[in-house]
Amino acid sequence: MKGFGLLVLLFGLFGCASIPKKAKAVNHFKIDKYLGKWYEIARFDFRFERNLINTTAEYSLNKDGSVKVLNKGFNYLKNEWTSAEGKAKFVGNQEVAQLKVSFFGPFYTGYNVIALEGDYEYALVAGKNLKYLWILSRTPTIPDDIKTKFLEKANEIGYNTEEMIWVEHTQNKN
């Protein structure tokens, strides 16, 4: 859990489980359909994922009903894979996609699915504030119409999507 994991731990220490003011978590959310592997298509550049390509997130259920989170990425400057394992819990009703995630102890930050397309094939995820946003897909690419829809929604909420990094997915190294 070198590098990437340590930074994610720090993120968890200083975050809280919240959602941006104009964002709304998806209703009628089904966690069982959300589980599995997601490819990170785009994100804001922040230190926890800086210099990472081929980034993915895998979600599975823990015995206690929480969600196991396994994030992976390839640091192209260090030429090594990094990973971080965490746990997510629903903030309230399990049919509302507002969760909190922790990569260290009792310190949580917001993880909010604010849009889904297809049959849980594409997701727009907001963090605790306008500094954290991810576009996820079940495959390493996303159709242009879904991309446009997600970017429009993010802009309406107040995100500056021009600053997003579009993640490179080369041959699968993990």
Side-chain angles (χ1 to χ4, degrees), residues 71-99:
N71 292 336
K72 293 182 184 176
F74 186 76
N75 186 315
Y76 61 85
L77 291 181
K78 294 180 179 180
N79 198 34
E80 67 182 14
W81 283 96
T82 61
S83 65
E85 188 174 318
K87 178 169 52 171
K89 298 178 180 182
F90 284 92
V91 171
N93 182 339
Q94 291 190 6
E95 289 191 9
V96 178
Q98 186 173 4
L99 295 97

Side-chain angles (χ1 to χ4, degrees), residues 56-75:
T56 61
E58 290 189 53
Y59 305 100
S60 58
L61 282 181
N62 289 316
K63 289 180 182 179
D64 67 359
S66 64
V67 177
K68 177 182 174 184
V69 179
L70 179 60
N71 292 336
K72 293 182 184 176
F74 186 76
N75 186 315

Side-chain angles (χ1 to χ4, degrees), residues 2 12 18 23 51 54 66 68 80 82 87 91 98 104 116 141 143 148 161 166 168 171:
K2 296 165 45 178
S18 61
N51 304 319
N54 297 310
S66 64
K68 177 182 174 184
E80 67 182 14
T82 61
K87 178 169 52 171
V91 171
Q98 186 173 4
F104 180 71
L116 287 167
T141 60
T148 299
T161 59
W166 298 90
E168 178 182 343
Q171 54 182 232

Side-chain angles (χ1 to χ4, degrees), residues 113-132:
V113 181
I114 59 173
L116 287 167
E117 288 292 327
D119 189 21
Y120 287 70
E121 296 171 84
Y122 311 102
L124 181 61
V125 179
K128 67 177 183 169
N129 59 36
L130 297 178
K131 294 180 182 180
Y132 305 100

